[in-house]
Amino acid sequence: MTTEIPKQYDPAAAEAKWFPFWEQRGDFNADPDPTKPPHVIMIPLPNVTGALHMGHALNGTLQDLLTRWRRMQGYEALWMPGTDHAGIGTQAMVEKRMFEEEGLTRHDVGREALIERIWKWKDVYETRILSQLKRLGASCDWRRVRFTLDEVCSRAVRQTFFKMFQDGLIFRGKRLVNWDCFLQTAVADDEVSEEETDGHFWTFNYPVVEETSDESRVTSAREDKGTPSETSPALSTQYSVLSTGERISFSTTRPETMLGDTAVCVHPTDERYMHLIGKHVRIPVNGRVIPIVADALLADKTLGTGCVKVTPAHDPNDYACWTRNKEKMGEPINLLNPDGTLNENAGPWQGQDRLVARDAVVAEMERLGHFEKVEDRKIPLKHSDRSKTPVEPYLSEQWFVKMDTLAQNAIDAANDGRVTFYPERYRQSYLSWLGEKRDWCISRQLWWGHRIPIWSKRLTDEEEGATEDESHSLCARGGLDESGARVQMVCIAPNDRDYETQFEQLGFTQEPDVLDTWFSSALWPHATLGWPDTEHNPPLTSSSPSTLNPQPSTKNEVLPYFYPGSVLVTSRDIITLWVARMVLTGLYNMGDVPFKHVCIHPKIQDGFGQTMSKSKGNGVDPIELIEKYGCDGMRFTIASFAGETQDVRLPVGYECPHCQAVIPQEPHHLKFKPGKPKIKCSKCKKESQYATPNYTPDEGEPIARVVIERFEYGRNFCNKLWNAARFAMLNLESRDESGESRAREEVLAASPALDSRLSTLDSSLALDSRPLALDSLPIEDRWILSRLATVTDEVTSLLDVYKFDAATRSLRDFVWNEFCDWYLEMIKPRLRDEALKPAAQRVLVAVLDTTLRLLHPFTPFITEELWQRLKEIAPSRGLPRPTQAADAIIIAPWPSGLEAWRDSTLEARFQRLQDLIVAVRNVRGTYNISPALTVTISVRCSSESAADLEQVKSQFESLAKATLTAAGPNIARPTKASVSFSLGDSDGYLPLEGLVDLQAELARQKKEADKVRGFIAGTEKKLGTSSFVDRAPPEVVAEVRQTLANQQKQLASIEEIVKLLSAD
RNA sequence: GGACGAUUAGCUCAGUUGGUUAGAGCGCCACGUUGACAUCGUGGAGGUCGUUGGUUCGAGUCCAAUAUCGUCCACCA
């Protein structure tokens, strides 16, 4: 029975049907299989902080495309899914919500309770993210979902830290960090961004003082850790203001930092100040005396007053200056408490918020007469990406990983080609970042994350020194704590957790800090495969309660089989944060790179060229688009954008709920608006609500939803494919009641008109030789097969180098412009002819079969739907001999080895036929000939072309609504009123008496002749240039000569016509 | 300030190693729905390839300068 095939593809139904189908069959699963090569992609793990956006949709589409493609090619294709705990972001989100809803801070609930709350949050979002990925059709091995805080990953983190600690790569140090006062943690340089902020630019002065006692060394650094603020006021009594009353002026945007100044700095060659170098000034607000130092790197003669105050504890440049001038300056003075209030070093301002104290200090300076001026200024201020609050430079104790060797190894891997970037240019950003070899600050003052596996205890005065001890599970070292006291530090490896309790009983306490999120995601490629456990395969689900040994394996087979991976697919902004660090840790832990290729894809922007992001309010939910355009439509469109050069710009619109007109998004739509923002439709003039960054529209109300019209490209393509397949299937089936089997018999029936060996389809056909079978086919069959072979090659080699856009174009052009527009049209007459039908069906189904397989990685759902339907009608198909089709397209073999089908000469011949038909259509269009009217045409051409024409003669009707009356070299020129065209090597004549205005035709032909004359003039000029003829390669010259000959021939034909028409 | 990318039709983008008359999709114009598809078909209009120099027989393509936009890095008293 004929299964009803609807006229429109229904994406939602197909998506709901085939994803569970694949999953239940286990098609997504990847396990070590020595008979197959592995192909491995590790997902760039999404953060559990929120929902997926368009960038993820692009990223996921490409990875799934590659995974499905390689799976069809016979690889054991693993796409590893998982999520990232995203330390700062997630904790900030939960803390913020907790504060908003319950008024509680993390200190109110405590470490364990907060972590518990975050786990719950994580469960919700992880589920949401994973289900979103599935909606994209992601063929991940869903049994292997990992989470950076699960047991498998945690163990890898502990082991890596332990190993690095043992190797002396991890150290503790004071460092000026970006301090997030809201989250009370250090934030990496990579996690802060600058924003222009309104601020002030104050100018003050400090009085220059001179010594009045013998004490010459004033603020020399003391050996012990005394607080500098205690010492300075005491010494200040030994100085008095210069008799000249000289003052030194400077400007600042942060006056409160005056309290922590340890020097003022001038340029060593600045004539205004050279005489003051080595003298001192007194800070009026606290009376401290500080030196005037010279530093060419910090001070710039041309800027401001040329003099800078130096606050090493609160400014990176000042800190750098301090490291250069330590012996002159004294220790940096930290003014801040972790929450952004001033500490005891601020004297009377202790306890005040830094911003409050700022004004107070300004007032005090003014009162004391040291204020000069203030101006308003836009100040670039660093903000924490996570909390969106301004960060403060803050001197604190942090843990670091030494980068020199590690970074060098990662540099070498990219230089010697073990890691290749696509496009190649991104290697540079990777290399230049690693080249700095800046030590990696890995500690974060958070609770959500991997707690640093160091236990320490202060050494008493009696204890001589720390024990240095290294074993497979313990590594002990001496060190200093934050206050500078001597401590015994012990790092404990993951496999000896008993030690943890033992040491705690001995009075050791674990570090409160957790590790930078990137520390765990850097291990992702090998941690997910079970490293460092070499004895067991990694457990199959992260939620599985059984810990690390759920399977009876005695060897981890997964890790060596799937490591190193094949390709990492990501966007350029985390090349440094993540890609470089994965290479680095992969080399360190595994001795090999984590992936061979890095595919960097474009970023998604809105219609104004701005990166899409939730905070900008221009983000778009991919699920909404999937619902509107279908998953395959979205995937196909998005893949068509993914090229090497440009970012993807997606102009967004709002669809009027009243009339479905699309209202283009304008920048003002993205601004924060009070109340319930409404948008007015330019067509029906009605208003409706729409979503803005600060407003979610009321459900039930008419809402103007976000649409991206560019996605119609993919949706339309899917529908076209659907209908082409529908046509094919309708024509594969028999019309009588015996149904399917009858259809097959027809296909299998011999067709005497064609090669019997091809058409006699039974098992004995094994004797068939392809070239013979091909030769016997009509020209359109051989053409489409040749084109298909070419396209198969193109797509395969384009995917090899990650040129998704070009592959998509190639496929679309083939399906739409060649298969649908030409081939299907051309075989329609044969499908109506019972004698010719079987062979046509054979080729048709083979082409459809191969095309679907080529498309599957791009559009998985529609191709599976069609594959399954086709299976019912034609379970065996293919050329030259039918074979049983695969049970599901997801595991069908990727087309290859079609070289025998290629025939470039034939493609060129066919092109001539196409040109001829287009020319006829052109004439029809020009004279507006009724589509109902069949015209006749005679063609003067070579006998070879005439033979080709003869073959497609019967299809002229449907292709051009024209009857070919005669073709050949000796075709008579028309003597009566007629329209003609010249293609150079052939001319067509269409008698159209009474239908056309002969004067108009004459004018048209004259115009055409002029045009060709223009071309000829250009070509002749070129050939007349001796330098061209002498210097250009001979084949180019010959080519141009041939062109000229053709043009002249064409002109002769046209002139002949013109003469004829003029004479009439 | 440094690096990288972009600038081609009204819009969004292709354009392989320099080589006849620069392409596509959308939009626009004209015509067209009895059997695959109006999410469609046929035909058409529309571009001095950001600007200025240079190399070359020949430049959208290579080189230099410049403008504008974007991204990353560094810096900003």
Side-chain angles (χ1 to χ4, degrees), chain A residues 455-477:
Chain A
W455 280 256
S456 57
K457 185 183 170 189
R458 220 179 249 234
L459 291 171
T460 60
D461 291 342
E462 303 85 64
E463 283 166 317
E464 282 285 304
T467 317
E468 298 282 329
D469 180 27
E470 284 186 28
S471 70
H472 69 288
S473 54
L474 281 182
C475 181
R477 293 260 154 97

Short mmCIF file of all heavy atoms in Angstrom, two decimals, chain A residues 455-477:
data_model
loop_
_atom_site.label_atom_id
_atom_site.label_comp_id
_atom_site.label_asym_id
_atom_site.label_seq_id
_atom_site.Cartn_x
_atom_site.Cartn_y
_atom_site.Cartn_z
N TRP A 455 46.88 19.93 53.00
CA TRP A 455 46.58 20.07 54.43
C TRP A 455 47.80 20.69 55.09
O TRP A 455 48.93 20.32 54.79
CB TRP A 455 46.30 18.69 55.04
CG TRP A 455 44.89 18.22 54.76
CD1 TRP A 455 43.85 18.21 55.64
CD2 TRP A 455 44.40 17.67 53.55
NE1 TRP A 455 42.72 17.72 55.04
CE2 TRP A 455 43.02 17.38 53.73
CE3 TRP A 455 44.94 17.43 52.28
CZ2 TRP A 455 42.21 16.84 52.74
CZ3 TRP A 455 44.13 16.90 51.29
CH2 TRP A 455 42.78 16.62 51.52
N SER A 456 47.57 21.66 55.97
CA SER A 456 48.74 22.29 56.56
C SER A 456 48.53 22.54 58.05
O SER A 456 47.40 22.53 58.55
CB SER A 456 49.07 23.58 55.83
OG SER A 456 47.96 24.45 55.87
N LYS A 457 49.65 22.73 58.70
CA LYS A 457 49.63 22.96 60.13
C LYS A 457 50.79 23.88 60.45
O LYS A 457 51.89 23.71 59.91
CB LYS A 457 49.82 21.62 60.86
CG LYS A 457 49.69 21.69 62.35
CD LYS A 457 49.98 20.30 62.92
CE LYS A 457 50.12 20.34 64.42
NZ LYS A 457 50.59 19.05 64.93
N ARG A 458 50.51 24.84 61.31
CA ARG A 458 51.55 25.77 61.71
C ARG A 458 52.61 25.05 62.53
O ARG A 458 52.29 24.23 63.40
CB ARG A 458 50.92 26.86 62.58
CG ARG A 458 51.48 28.25 62.30
CD ARG A 458 50.78 29.23 63.19
NE ARG A 458 49.92 30.10 62.41
CZ ARG A 458 50.01 31.44 62.48
NH1 ARG A 458 50.86 32.01 63.30
NH2 ARG A 458 49.22 32.18 61.76
N LEU A 459 53.85 25.34 62.28
CA LEU A 459 54.92 24.73 63.06
C LEU A 459 55.13 25.54 64.33
O LEU A 459 55.14 26.78 64.29
CB LEU A 459 56.22 24.70 62.25
CG LEU A 459 56.24 23.75 61.05
CD1 LEU A 459 57.48 23.98 60.22
CD2 LEU A 459 56.17 22.31 61.53
N THR A 460 55.26 24.82 65.44
CA THR A 460 55.50 25.55 66.68
C THR A 460 56.95 26.02 66.70
O THR A 460 57.78 25.58 65.90
CB THR A 460 55.26 24.63 67.89
OG1 THR A 460 56.16 23.53 67.77
CG2 THR A 460 53.83 24.16 67.93
N ASP A 461 57.26 26.90 67.61
CA ASP A 461 58.61 27.45 67.67
C ASP A 461 59.66 26.39 67.94
O ASP A 461 60.79 26.48 67.47
CB ASP A 461 58.68 28.52 68.78
CG ASP A 461 57.88 29.74 68.38
OD1 ASP A 461 57.59 29.86 67.16
OD2 ASP A 461 57.52 30.53 69.26
N GLU A 462 59.25 25.34 68.71
CA GLU A 462 60.23 24.29 69.03
C GLU A 462 60.58 23.47 67.80
O GLU A 462 61.69 22.99 67.65
CB GLU A 462 59.70 23.34 70.12
CG GLU A 462 59.29 24.01 71.41
CD GLU A 462 57.87 24.52 71.36
OE1 GLU A 462 56.95 23.70 71.23
OE2 GLU A 462 57.69 25.76 71.41
N GLU A 463 59.57 23.31 66.92
CA GLU A 463 59.81 22.45 65.77
C GLU A 463 60.82 23.11 64.83
O GLU A 463 60.69 24.28 64.50
CB GLU A 463 58.50 22.16 65.03
CG GLU A 463 57.68 21.12 65.75
CD GLU A 463 56.25 21.05 65.24
OE1 GLU A 463 55.64 22.12 65.03
OE2 GLU A 463 55.74 19.95 65.07
N GLU A 464 61.80 22.30 64.46
CA GLU A 464 62.92 22.82 63.68
C GLU A 464 62.48 23.34 62.31
O GLU A 464 62.61 24.50 61.99
CB GLU A 464 63.95 21.70 63.48
CG GLU A 464 64.81 21.46 64.70
CD GLU A 464 65.84 22.56 64.88
OE1 GLU A 464 66.61 22.78 63.94
OE2 GLU A 464 65.86 23.21 65.96
N GLY A 465 61.95 22.41 61.57
CA GLY A 465 61.54 22.80 60.21
C GLY A 465 60.59 21.77 59.69
O GLY A 465 60.33 20.75 60.32
N ALA A 466 60.06 22.04 58.53
CA ALA A 466 59.08 21.14 57.95
C ALA A 466 59.74 19.89 57.44
O ALA A 466 60.90 19.90 57.04
CB ALA A 466 58.35 21.84 56.82
N THR A 467 59.01 18.82 57.48
CA THR A 467 59.49 17.57 56.93
C THR A 467 59.33 17.59 55.42
O THR A 467 58.30 18.00 54.92
CB THR A 467 58.65 16.39 57.48
OG1 THR A 467 58.44 16.63 58.86
CG2 THR A 467 59.33 15.08 57.25
N GLU A 468 60.36 17.17 54.75
CA GLU A 468 60.24 17.00 53.30
C GLU A 468 60.07 15.53 53.06
O GLU A 468 60.93 14.74 53.44
CB GLU A 468 61.50 17.52 52.59
CG GLU A 468 61.77 18.99 52.80
CD GLU A 468 60.90 19.90 51.97
OE1 GLU A 468 60.52 19.50 50.86
OE2 GLU A 468 60.59 21.02 52.43
N ASP A 469 58.99 15.15 52.47
CA ASP A 469 58.71 13.74 52.30
C ASP A 469 57.92 13.53 51.03
O ASP A 469 57.00 14.27 50.74
CB ASP A 469 57.92 13.22 53.52
CG ASP A 469 57.61 11.74 53.38
OD1 ASP A 469 58.37 11.04 52.70
OD2 ASP A 469 56.58 11.31 53.94
N GLU A 470 58.32 12.53 50.30
CA GLU A 470 57.57 12.23 49.08
C GLU A 470 57.31 10.75 49.00
O GLU A 470 58.20 9.95 49.18
CB GLU A 470 58.37 12.66 47.83
CG GLU A 470 58.35 14.13 47.62
CD GLU A 470 59.03 14.52 46.32
OE1 GLU A 470 59.03 13.71 45.39
OE2 GLU A 470 59.56 15.64 46.26
N SER A 471 56.09 10.38 48.77
CA SER A 471 55.78 8.98 48.51
C SER A 471 54.74 8.97 47.41
O SER A 471 54.40 10.00 46.88
CB SER A 471 55.23 8.32 49.77
OG SER A 471 53.94 8.83 50.04
N HIS A 472 54.20 7.78 47.11
CA HIS A 472 53.24 7.72 46.02
C HIS A 472 51.93 8.41 46.39
O HIS A 472 51.16 8.74 45.52
CB HIS A 472 52.99 6.28 45.61
CG HIS A 472 52.25 5.50 46.63
ND1 HIS A 472 52.84 5.11 47.81
CD2 HIS A 472 50.97 5.07 46.67
CE1 HIS A 472 51.95 4.44 48.52
NE2 HIS A 472 50.81 4.41 47.86
N SER A 473 51.71 8.61 47.68
CA SER A 473 50.43 9.20 48.02
C SER A 473 50.55 10.44 48.89
O SER A 473 49.55 11.10 49.16
CB SER A 473 49.56 8.17 48.74
OG SER A 473 50.27 7.66 49.84
N LEU A 474 51.73 10.75 49.29
CA LEU A 474 51.91 11.92 50.14
C LEU A 474 53.09 12.74 49.65
O LEU A 474 54.08 12.20 49.20
CB LEU A 474 52.25 11.50 51.58
CG LEU A 474 51.13 11.02 52.48
CD1 LEU A 474 51.73 10.72 53.84
CD2 LEU A 474 50.05 12.07 52.60
N CYS A 475 52.94 14.02 49.76
CA CYS A 475 54.09 14.85 49.47
C CYS A 475 54.10 15.99 50.48
O CYS A 475 53.16 16.77 50.55
CB CYS A 475 54.02 15.40 48.06
SG CYS A 475 55.43 16.41 47.65
N ALA A 476 55.12 16.01 51.31
CA ALA A 476 55.18 17.01 52.38
C ALA A 476 56.22 18.07 52.05
O ALA A 476 57.29 17.77 51.53
CB ALA A 476 55.51 16.33 53.69
N ARG A 477 55.88 19.28 52.35
CA ARG A 477 56.80 20.40 52.10
C ARG A 477 56.65 21.42 53.21
O ARG A 477 55.58 21.53 53.82
CB ARG A 477 56.43 21.10 50.80
CG ARG A 477 56.64 20.28 49.57
CD ARG A 477 57.93 20.66 48.88
NE ARG A 477 58.40 19.51 48.11
CZ ARG A 477 58.19 19.35 46.80
NH1 ARG A 477 57.59 20.27 46.17
NH2 ARG A 477 58.61 18.29 46.18
#
